Amino acid sequence: MKQIKFGPDQKTVSGIVLGCMRIDNAKDPVEVITTAVENGITFFDHADIYGAGKCEEIFAAALKKTDYKREGLHIQSKCGIVPGKMYDFSKAHIIESVEKILKRLDTDYLDSFLLHRPDTLMEPEEVAEAFDTLYTAGKVRQFGVSNFSGPQIDLLQKYVNQPLIANQLQFGIMHTGMIDNGIHVNMTDPRSIDHDNGILEYSRLHDMTIQAWSPYQYGWFEGSFIDNDKFPALNQKLAELAEKYGMTKTGLSSAWILRHPANMQVIIGTMTPSRITEIAQAAEVSLTREEWYSVYLAAGNDLP
Ligand SMILES: NC(=O)c1ccc[n+]([C@@H]2O[C@H](COP(=O)([O-])OP(=O)(O)OC[C@H]3O[C@@H](n4cnc5c(N)ncnc54)[C@H](OP(=O)(O)O)[C@@H]3O)[C@@H](O)[C@H]2O)c1
């Protein structure tokens, strides 16, 4: 399993992360977790809202049925979204949410904790107090954000004492906004529009790990692009490369993200053990520059 540098202390973690947003749909959560760990995927992503808390509980109950030691795993969760109502980065909400997360996950600490989506009413001083409280109590070891722009991270980092080490962002073969504008810079076509305030370059400059979420989806959770008739050229290109490397299209699609030098992690959401294995195995493949761009083009993009 490809390892990714995570945070300033040179710690490394698995390049593939198992996202647990859909674990409430898993036929056998124990098999899902064991397949991941046996294939070197030891990093698990949660959020308090996944299954309204059920996903964290299902994960904890399944993990209990294995022999894995807590210290060999990296467990991450997020809070800050109050679905349909608001975003809440108040000190009280953050601390209370983490306490509940720890209870549901049946663990004393989170290896990392992220703020899920920017709260425009954020008071960074309050967030700093919450982070200090959680860090000092040993309840959270590392902190980060999700769906944040560079200036939003700068604003928060000005006040919080711990380094913000990760930013979770949607990225995959069919969701490339983060790189399109860098390729089309100085043009006037739609792809030149910067929706993310240069977040890719910002992350690389600040040694922040981008965690690519929903890497197999196109649009807003519209479905997977793999074997999807809407994307014939892409599927043909992936099949060609998959054959060359003796992998599957599914595996190759995560290898495409890992090939980017920004050192991203890929948060996969499949609950199908065979797909988890395919993805983990393909994490070893390093596409050539030409192959990487050929997939980008087959996805319907262009190079000016
Ligand atoms: N920070 C955020 O705002 C945010 C937002 C969304 C998600 N996330 C994180 O990202 C994780 C992944 O999200 P996601 O589940 O949407 O990611 P995904 O890996 O893009 O999608 C997984 C879904 O696609 C299906 N699928 C169909 N064909 C597939 C194929 N060939 N290969 C792989 N999957 C295929 C899977 O079904 P099967 O299970 O049947 O295989 C599963 O339902 C979440 O668990 C969560 O941790 C973060």
Side-chain angles (χ1 to χ4, degrees):
M1 171 57 54
K2 181 176 176 179
Q3 299 294 303
I4 300 281
K5 192 167 80 65
F6 195 73
D9 60 0
Q10 303 295 310
K11 184 184 172 198
T12 59
V13 293
S14 59
I16 304 288
V17 174
L18 186 76
C20 297
M21 180 177 77
R22 302 179 195 265
I23 203 165
D24 51 347
N25 290 331
K27 279 199 194 90
D28 183 350
V30 178
E31 191 189 359
V32 167
I33 293 172
T34 51
T35 304
V37 176
E38 297 312 308
N39 281 285
I41 302 171
T42 51
F43 196 120
F44 297 90
D45 181 62
H46 293 271
D48 58 350
I49 57 169
Y50 295 162
K54 277 267 167 288
C55 292
E56 290 173 328
E57 288 172 354
I58 291 168
F59 174 85
L63 188 60
K64 248 194 182 146
K65 293 184 182 153
T66 72
D67 294 331
Y68 301 130
K69 299 250 181 311
R70 172 68 183 87
E71 55 274 21
L73 306 176
H74 186 116
I75 300 181
Q76 168 176 283
S77 193
K78 312 184 276 294
C79 90
I81 299 179
V82 184
K85 287 193 183 157
M86 61 179 173
Y87 301 113
D88 190 349
F89 286 3
S90 64
K91 180 182 173 184
H93 182 78
I94 294 172
I95 292 177
E96 194 191 332
S97 300
V98 171
E99 298 286 3
K100 288 181 179 168
I101 288 168
L102 293 176
K103 208 164 170 210
R104 286 193 295 267
L105 284 171
D106 194 15
T107 183
D108 298 333
Y109 68 95
L110 291 175
D111 295 278
S112 49
F113 165 72
L114 315 182
L115 296 173
H116 206 156
R117 193 169 267 287
D119 170 14
T120 192
L121 301 183
M122 170 179 84
E123 310 272 7
E125 298 91 333
E126 257 197 75
V127 177
E129 283 180 30
F131 281 13
D132 281 344
T133 303
L134 294 167
Y135 183 75
T136 310
K139 292 180 176 172
V140 174
R141 297 190 169 173
Q142 291 174 300
F143 295 86
V145 293
S146 168
N147 305 305
F148 267 53
S149 70
Q152 289 171 327
I153 294 167
D154 284 342
L155 172 63
L156 184 57
Q157 188 67 82
K158 182 174 171 195
Y159 295 90
V160 302
N161 294 308
Q162 300 77 17
L164 299 169
I165 60 167
N167 190 8
Q168 221 169 82
L169 297 158
Q170 186 173 10
F171 184 71
I173 294 174
M174 286 309 301
H175 194 99
T176 50
M178 188 191 332
I179 56 176
D180 296 340
N181 68 83
I183 288 173
H184 289 251
V185 74
N186 199 32
M187 309 288 287
T188 54
D189 59 317
R191 285 190 221 281
S192 68
I193 297 166
D194 183 356
H195 296 277
D196 311 296
N197 292 88
I199 193 61
L200 178 73
E201 290 75 17
Y202 177 95
S203 305
R204 296 182 74 177
L205 283 166
H206 291 80
D207 295 321
M208 280 185 87
T209 303
I210 291 175
Q211 300 182 325
W213 60 260
S214 294
Y216 289 90
Q217 302 292 303
Y218 66 95
W220 178 247
F221 299 117
E222 283 180 53
S224 168
F225 53 81
I226 305 277
D227 293 330
N228 187 324
D229 293 344
K230 286 187 178 144
F231 310 107
L234 175 59
N235 276 283
Q236 197 184 330
K237 175 53 71 179
L238 288 172
E240 182 192 307
L241 292 173
E243 191 181 351
K244 173 181 168 186
Y245 287 103
M247 302 288 170
T248 61
K249 293 191 274 185
T250 296
L252 249 290
S253 300
S254 280
W256 184 84
I257 300 173
L258 290 175
R259 167 63 178 83
H260 196 284
N263 251 340
M264 300 183 210
Q265 281 182 301
V266 186
I267 317 182
I268 60 167
T270 178
M271 291 292 131
T272 305
S274 58
R275 285 180 175 150
I276 294 172
T277 305
E278 288 166 31
I279 293 167
Q281 287 175 354
E284 306 298 334
V285 170
S286 184
L287 297 174
T288 67
R289 183 179 295 268
E290 195 179 340
E291 288 164 349
W292 190 92
Y293 273 103
S294 72
V295 172
Y296 181 72
L297 290 170
N301 297 298
D302 62 320
L303 303 174

